[in-house]
């Protein structure tokens, strides 16, 4: 029996569907399955760009596999929620490993071994992904290859033909409407995480001390890993300091059991000194994703990703 009308009955659950199609596309190198598992008019939004249509996605997939032929993407977690009897929304966290063995967007092959994370939100209906939002930890990738997010992004802009011809990052101005317009579910874990993120994004110094387990384990952009309240506070403060007047919004939230997944945005001017150098005055849109697990003493594990290179690109396109 199918998990939902229109889905292949071989999938035992929504989680197995997401893990299974990811394995088929990437680890089994089943590029042809993209025609089955990705909708023809699928929109994939990442901080770096907005891509519409299966042809562009297949081309990008082939290019990635040429550059990282041994890439593996085991799923750490799938948090999902009902959308309708025939559709669901998943938030999928992956831990990726790969060797930079081929030439491509990251330059000539370096032979470096990489580990980084991705979080992807997918709207799934009729056995296919119909809408997608994705954040890849680009900062972790370029650092492990011996570069910096700023330096790599400067070189990328040059490779793309300069500031006037470079691919534009995802912002409200470059986004495209898709079939999924939901905002998630009303699960209390999703509301709890949304409240925590909003409080400390808006400068509430008590949010972390009141809402996080003192022994919390934290995984942040740049493949940063640490524990405890000071690490959480310092990391979030460094991001917020760069955009002190920016508006923080929760774009989507779901909860399931003791877990929650949030997609959020920080939108405003680069007018503070923080992670992105001296103030440039650039208008910047930060697309972020957070997964969390709660325990009896509060949030005990958090994974938050942004793409530092997409932020640098917005700043550099303003200043170059």
């Amino acid at each position: 029996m199918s998990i939902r009308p229109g889905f292949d009955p071989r999938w035992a659950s929504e989680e197995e569907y997401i893990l299974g199609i990811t394995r088929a596309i990437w680890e089994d190198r089943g590029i042809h399955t993209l025609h089955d598992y990705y909708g023809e008019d699928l929109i994939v939004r990442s901080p770096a760009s907005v891509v519409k249509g299966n042809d562009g996605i297949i081309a990008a997939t082939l290019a990635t596999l040429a550059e990282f032929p041994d890439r593996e993407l085991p799923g750490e977690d799938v948090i999902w929620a009902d959308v309708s009897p025939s559709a669901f929304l998943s938030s999928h966290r992956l831990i990726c490993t790969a060797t930079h063995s081929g030439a491509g967007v990251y330059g000539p092959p370096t032979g470096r071994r990489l580990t980084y994370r991705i979080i992807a939100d997918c709207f799934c209906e009729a056995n296919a992904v119909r809408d997608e939002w994705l954040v890849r930890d680009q900062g972790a990738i370029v650092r492990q290859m011996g570069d910096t997010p700023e330096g790599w992004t400067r070189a990328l802009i040059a490779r793309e033909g300069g500031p006037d011809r470079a691919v534009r990052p995802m912002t409200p101005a470059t986004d495209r409407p898709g079939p999924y317009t939901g905002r998630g579910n009303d699960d209390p874990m999703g509301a709890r995480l949304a409240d925590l993120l909003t409080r400390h994004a808006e400068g509430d110094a008590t949010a972390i001390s009141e809402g996080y387990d003192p022994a919390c384990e934290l995984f942040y952009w740049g493949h940063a890993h640490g524990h405890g309240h000071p690490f959480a506070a310092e990391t979030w403060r460094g991001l917020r300091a760069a955009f002190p007047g920016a508006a923080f919004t929760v774009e989507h939230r779901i909860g399931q059991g003791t877990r929650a997944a949030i997609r959020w945005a920080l939108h405003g001017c680069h007018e503070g000194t923080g992670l992105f150098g001296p103030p440039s005055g650039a208008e910047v849109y930060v697309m972020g994703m957070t997964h969390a697990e709660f325990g009896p003493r509060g949030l005990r594990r958090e994974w938050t990703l942004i793409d530092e290179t997409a932020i640098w690109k917005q700043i550099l396109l303003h200043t170059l």
Side-chain angles (χ1 to χ4, degrees), residues 79-155:
I79 304 170
W80 63 270
D82 285 312
V83 173
S84 72
S86 61
F88 67 96
L89 189 290
S90 76
S91 192
H92 178 197
R93 190 178 74 251
L94 308 97
I95 180 77
C96 307
T97 58
T99 306
H100 187 219
S101 304
V105 70
Y106 298 102
T110 62
R112 298 285 185 96
R113 185 69 176 163
L114 312 176
T115 303
Y116 59 95
R117 283 185 171 83
I118 296 171
I119 298 178
D121 283 6
C122 295
F123 169 65
C124 306
E125 187 175 39
N127 210 48
V129 178
R130 305 291 175 182
D131 228 350
E132 184 170 3
W133 293 257
L134 177 151
V135 177
R136 181 183 298 107
D137 190 357
Q138 292 279 94
I141 295 172
V142 299
R143 285 188 181 93
Q144 289 172 70
M145 286 198 279
D147 211 335
T148 66
E150 179 185 5
W152 181 83
T153 306
R154 284 183 182 274

Side-chain angles (χ1 to χ4, degrees), residues 171-204:
T171 67
T174 62
D175 194 8
R176 299 188 185 189
Y180 181 71
T181 58
R183 301 297 296 272
N185 64 18
D186 295 326
D187 187 275
M189 288 299 107
R192 186 175 178 182
L193 180 58
D195 178 65
L196 270 179
L197 297 184
T198 301
R199 285 175 60 193
H200 58 64
E202 293 180 349
D204 183 347

